[in-house]
Amino acid sequence: MTLTRDRRFLVGFATVAFFSVLAPDAWRNTIGWYGYGVVAVGLFATSVALLIRRRSEWRADVLPWPLLAFSALCLVSVFWSNYPAATALAWLLQLITTTVGVTAAVLLTGSELIRALGRALRVILALSVAFEL
């Protein structure tokens, strides 16, 4: 069994993704903005690799079409924006977040998503208490 087929790896990936979305300050204050960027790019690259590697397991009818349409609208808005560079950067960040979320939603079951969210919240709570102590 390869790593991309291991359910524990997928739940761990989702846990790190939930942690990164729910507690980004933990990353930024611990390893800095560049380190946080490395984490975000790593999550994005892992998401793309998982989607490509396991493309036979997911179907197009489970994709969140309204979210994908919104992403397309955000991309098109770059052309009429007064700040195209900033808008393009915001679209890129939104694309990264959407890709990670869609990967988790498409490849994990509902109970695995809940388990990953629970683990991420427990880690956040434990780190918060440890920081306060």
Side-chain angles (χ1 to χ4, degrees):
M1 178 184 296
T2 63
L3 189 60
T4 59
R5 301 239 177 247
D6 187 11
R7 302 308 293 178
R8 290 175 301 190
F9 173 77
L10 290 174
V11 172
F13 163 77
T15 302
V16 173
F18 277 127
F19 179 85
S20 298
V21 168
L22 296 172
D25 290 337
W27 288 121
R28 289 191 297 259
N29 292 333
T30 305
I31 58 178
W33 278 96
Y34 293 114
Y36 179 60
V38 169
V39 169
V41 169
L43 283 170
F44 177 68
T46 304
S47 295
V48 171
L50 284 169
L51 285 174
I52 291 171
R53 179 85 177 182
R54 300 181 68 166
R55 65 185 166 272
S56 64
E57 295 179 28
W58 54 275
R59 302 177 325 269
D61 64 336
V62 298
L63 292 176
W65 291 110
L67 181 60
L68 298 177
F70 175 73
S71 295
L73 179 64
C74 290
L75 175 61
V76 173
S77 74
V78 170
F79 298 110
W80 66 70
S81 173
N82 289 330
Y83 306 99
T87 305
L89 178 62
W91 174 77
L92 180 66
L93 295 173
Q94 186 260 341
L95 177 70
I96 289 171
T97 305
T98 301
T99 303
V100 174
V102 167
T103 301
V106 166
L107 296 179
L108 276 75
T109 64
S111 63
E112 289 171 334
L113 282 172
I114 297 297
R115 189 176 330 133
L117 178 61
R119 285 181 183 170
L121 290 173
R122 283 192 296 274
V123 169
I124 291 168
L125 183 60
L127 289 175
S128 295
V129 169
F131 178 74
E132 290 298 326
L133 290 175

